[in-house]
Amino acid sequence: MKIAIVAGADRAFGTEIVDRLTRDGYAVRSCPANEAVIAGLPRADDLVQVLVVNIPVHIEDMRFAEITDDALATALQMLVFDVVAIVQAVLPRMAEGGRIVNVAARGHLGAWGGVHWMAANAALIGLTRSLALELADDGIRVNALAPDFAGERWDTPQTRIQVASAVAFLAGDEVPMLTGETMLMDGGRSLRLSESRKR
């Protein structure tokens, strides 16, 4: 039995990720927050093949001077401390050759509004790369998926299915050399699209 855990299944993209992994043959244990991860773990003799930590980021119309300590602490809690707690809870039960996929946003590239979220998102990318190095000897691959920000115009039922497909790709066995990477998935919106116009 292939087991996948989806932490943050109650957030944007969560339902689609659970549906896709279920169709791919995983027995999916989903939980809304890190407090429920322990309860969602399989029996002691079953190992986890895939862990998805789903923390989509929403843009906040908050200038840098308006960012409070509480706002910064919330962003770091969700995108760093919660992720560390989730991975530490699941890691002892992960199979050799397991896969970890962190789903956040393209905030590590910078964006207007919500510097605290962008900084925390960048920290998650560093965490992902460092975990990939540390867990390489166990054959565990760690990657991140960086879609555009949740709740924006691009965020439709169809694009959520595409995000779930990208998660399934990173969770799969087709590219065993892919680890420590961040897959940007924003339809080119982070590019200067004006450069694509014919001169």
Side-chain angles (χ1 to χ4, degrees):
M1 177 174 61
K2 299 191 302 180
I3 296 173
I5 292 179
V6 179
D10 58 328
R11 298 169 178 154
F13 320 133
T15 298
E16 292 80 10
I17 292 169
V18 169
D19 289 347
R20 175 56 191 263
L21 293 178
T22 300
R23 290 202 315 273
D24 286 352
Y26 290 93
V28 179
R29 315 290 173 86
S30 60
C31 49
N34 66 311
E35 291 85 358
V37 168
I38 298 296
L41 286 173
R43 296 175 306 178
D45 54 345
D46 291 329
L47 296 176
V48 177
Q49 279 73 39
V50 172
L51 168 62
V52 179
V53 187
N54 181 44
I55 339 99
V57 177
H58 294 76
I59 285 285
E60 288 185 12
D61 188 16
M62 183 182 292
R63 291 177 177 269
F64 178 72
E66 300 169 338
I67 295 172
T68 63
D69 289 348
D70 286 345
L72 180 58
T74 297
L76 289 171
Q77 183 68 49
M78 286 183 62
L79 287 162
V80 180
F81 296 118
D82 284 356
V83 176
V84 169
I86 291 166
V87 174
Q88 285 180 336
V90 176
L91 198 55
R93 306 286 291 281
M94 286 209 80
E96 183 175 354
R99 283 84 65 195
I100 299 172
V101 182
N102 296 320
V103 182
R106 64 174 179 87
H108 63 290
L109 300 176
W112 176 267
V115 168
H116 52 311
W117 287 110
M118 308 315 146
N121 202 150
L124 176 65
I125 301 306
L127 187 155
T128 297
R129 292 180 62 83
S130 297
L131 267 179
L133 288 170
E134 186 167 332
L135 300 180
D137 285 346
D138 297 320
I140 296 174
R141 293 187 283 117
V142 189
N143 291 291
L145 179 64
D148 212 334
F149 301 102
E152 301 298 308
R153 286 183 299 174
W154 76 277
D155 187 358
T156 66
Q158 183 60 38
T159 55
R160 288 190 175 203
I161 290 172
Q162 293 173 14
V163 168
S165 295
V167 170
F169 170 74
L170 293 174
D173 295 320
E174 294 81 5
V175 280
M177 296 293 289
L178 182 63
T179 189
E181 297 301 324
T182 299
M183 178 186 289
L184 181 63
M185 187 179 180
D186 69 348
R189 283 177 291 277
S190 58
L191 298 172
R192 292 178 59 197
L193 293 183
S194 60
E195 295 295 326
S196 67
R197 298 175 186 155
K198 292 182 179 179
R199 295 185 181 276

